[in-house]
C-alpha cells in the first residue's frame, strides 16, 4: 500500500518532511507547536527507547569481536588521535571566522535570555569518576527526555551517561574475550541481540520523516524572526564556520586518504539530517551507526565501538567551533582586545574541554563557560546567546555528527577495515528496507 513511499530515497523523504514542516510552522504559527509538536516528541521518545540498548549490545559485540581482528588499544589510540586533530582544526575555524566576520562588532545593546541560569562546570576529578557507573542498570536507564525553555523535547543524560554504558559494556566485552569458549553461548546471544537492535533501529528510522516534520514545524512556529534579529550576525558566522569545517576541512581529510568526499556526504546525509532536526548527537546515533556501516562500508565491529564513543566526546560544533567563536564574539561585543596568549588559551580550553565535558547536559553552554572562564572574559554574557541556542544547536550538532561518522571512516581506511565497494556505491537508504544492502543510489 505504501510501497511508493518507501521507494523514495530515505534522505529525500527526510528533506520533504523538513520542507513541509517549515511551511506548516510558518502557516500555523504558535499553533504548530500544539498540532505538530507531538510528532517530534514521539520521534525523540522512540530514539530514546532504542539508543541505549543499541549502544550496549553493539559495544559488547564490538569488543568481543575486534580482539581477533585488530589491537583494540591501537584502534582506540588512532581514533582518539583523529578526534583530537579534527577538534584542533575546528577551533582554528571558529577563531578564523570570528576574526574575519567580526560578529560582535556594532551589534548594539543585547538583552540576556530570561531563562538563562549559570552552568556549574564539574571538576576534572568528578568527570573522571563519573565514567564508572555505581549502578550499571541505573546507567542503562540514563537517557531521558526533557523540554527546553522553548518547549522543544530533547534527549539528556538522567542518572548516568552514555560513557558509563560504554565503559560497562567494554568491560563485559573484555571479560567475554578472557573467558573464551566458557561463555560461547553468551557471546552468541549478545551477537543476536545486537542484530535484533539493528532491525528495531530500521523500524524506528522509518519514522524519521514524520519526526522531522513535527520538530521543524514546532521550531518554525515557535521561533519569531524578532528573536533572531539582534544576533543574526552571530548565527550567520556560526553557520558559515560549521559549513566551512564540514565542506572544506573534512573534504580535505578525505581526499588525503584517497576517498571521494561526495561519496562520503551521500552516505552520511541521513545521519546529518537527523542531527540537524533533532539537535542531539545521541538522537542521531542510530542513524550514524547505520550510515557508517551500511552506507560507507566501515567494519561493523569497529563502528560499534567508535561511533557511540564519538557521540559522547567528538564535538567539533558544540565543543570547538562554538566556544571559540563565542569567545571572539563576546570580546568584540565587550570591547576587549584579545592577546595572543588568550587566543592560545581559548584554543587549548576548547580542545581539552570538549573531551572533559562528555556526557554533561548542555555541552555547548558548559564548553562556552569553560572557555570564557579560562580566557578571563565575562561569563554572564553567554546569556545573550542562550536566547537563540536552539537555532545554533541545529548546525552545531550536524557538525558534531558529521565528524563522528568521518573519523571512523578515516581510521577504517588506514587500518584496512573499510569496504571500498560499499563506500564507492554510497547508498543513502540506511538499509531500512529488506534488500536495501544491494540498492544503488
Amino acid at each position: 500500500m505504501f510501497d511508493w513511499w518507501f521507494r523514495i530515497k530515505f534522505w529525500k523523504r527526510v528533506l520533504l518532511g523538513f520542507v513541509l514542516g517549515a511551511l506548516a510552522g510558518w502557516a500555523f504559527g504558535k499553533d504548530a507547536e500544539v498540532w505538530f509538536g507531538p510528532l517530534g516528541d514521539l520521534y525523540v521518545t522512540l530514539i530514546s527507547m532504542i539508543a541505549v540498548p543499541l549502544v550496549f549490545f553493539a559495544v559488547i559485540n564490538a569488543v568481543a569481536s575486534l580482539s581477533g581482528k585488530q589491537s583494540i588499544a591501537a584502534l582506540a589510540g588512532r581514533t582518539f588521535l583523529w578526534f583530537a586533530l579534527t577538534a584542533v582544526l575546528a577551533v582554528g575555524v571558529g577563531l578564523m571566522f570570528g576574526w574575519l566576520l567580526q560578529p560582535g562588532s556594532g551589534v548594539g545593546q543585547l538583552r540576556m535570555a530570561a531563562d538563562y541560569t549559570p552552568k556549574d562546570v564539574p571538576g576534572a576529578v568528578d568527570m573522571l569518576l563519573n565514567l564508572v557507573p555505581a549502578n550499571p542498570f541505573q546507567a542503562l536507564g540514563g537517557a531521558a527526555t526533557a523540554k527546553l525553555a522553548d518547549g522543544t523535547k530533547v534527549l539528556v543524560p538522567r542518572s548516568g551517561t552514555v560513557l558509563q554504558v560504554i565503559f560497562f559494556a567494554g568491560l563485559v566485552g573484555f571479560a567475554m574475550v578472557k573467558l573464551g569458549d566458557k561463555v560461547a553461548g553468551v557471546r552468541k546471544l549478545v551477537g543476536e541481540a545486537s542484530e535484533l537492535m539493528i532491525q528495531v533501529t530500521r523500524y524506528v528510522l522509518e519514522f524519521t520523516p514524520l519526526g522531522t516534520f513535527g520538530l521543524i514545524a514546532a521550531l518554525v512556529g515557535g521561533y519569531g524572526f524578532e528573536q533572531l534579529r539582534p544576533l543574526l550576525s552571530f548565527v550567520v558566522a556560526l553557520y558559515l564556520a560549521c559549513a566551512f569545517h564540514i565542506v572544506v576541512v573534512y573534504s580535505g581529510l578525505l581526499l588525503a586518504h584517497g576517498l571521494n568526499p561526495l561519496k562520503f556526504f551521500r552516505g552520511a546525509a541521513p545521519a546529518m539530517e537527523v542531527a540537524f532536526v533533532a539537535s542531539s548527537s545521541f538522537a542521531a546515533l542510530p542513524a550514524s551507526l547505520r550510515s557508517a556501516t551500511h552506507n560507507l562500508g566501515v567494519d561493523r565491529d569497529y563502528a560499534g565501538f567508535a561511533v557511540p564513543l564519538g557521540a559522547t566526546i567528538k564535538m567539533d560544533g558544540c565543543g570547538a567551533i562554538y566556544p571559540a567563536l563565542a569567545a571572539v564574539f563576546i570580546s568584540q561585543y565587550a570591547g576587549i582586545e584579545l592577546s595572543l596568549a588568550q587566543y592560545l588559551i581559548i584554543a587549548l580550553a576548547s580542545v581539552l574541554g570538549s573531551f572533559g565535558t562528555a556526557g554533561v547536559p548542555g555541552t555547548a553552554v558548559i564548553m562556552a563557560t569553560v572557555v570564557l572562564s579560562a580566557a578571563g572574559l565575562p561569563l554572564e554574557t553567554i546569556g545573550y546567546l542562550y536566547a537563540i541556542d536552539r537555532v545554533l544547536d541545529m548546525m552545531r550538532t550536524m557538525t558534531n555528527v558529521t565528524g563522528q561518522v568521518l573519523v571512523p571512516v578515516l581510521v577504517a581506511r588506514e587500518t584496512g577495515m573499510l569496504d571500498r565497494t560499499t563506500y564507492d556505491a554510497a547508498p543513502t537508504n540506511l538499509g531500512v528496507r529488506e534488500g536495501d544492502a544491494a540498492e544503488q543510489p
Side-chain angles (χ1 to χ4, degrees), residues 113-163:
D115 58 324
Y116 173 71
T117 53
K119 300 290 184 181
D120 293 324
V121 181
V125 175
D126 291 333
M127 287 187 286
L128 285 174
L129 291 176
N130 194 47
L131 295 177
V132 183
N135 183 338
F137 296 102
Q138 191 178 32
L140 287 168
T145 55
K147 285 197 174 183
L148 300 177
D150 62 3
T152 305
K153 204 169 185 182
V154 295
L155 290 179
V156 296
R158 186 172 57 201
S159 55
T161 68
V162 182
L163 276 178

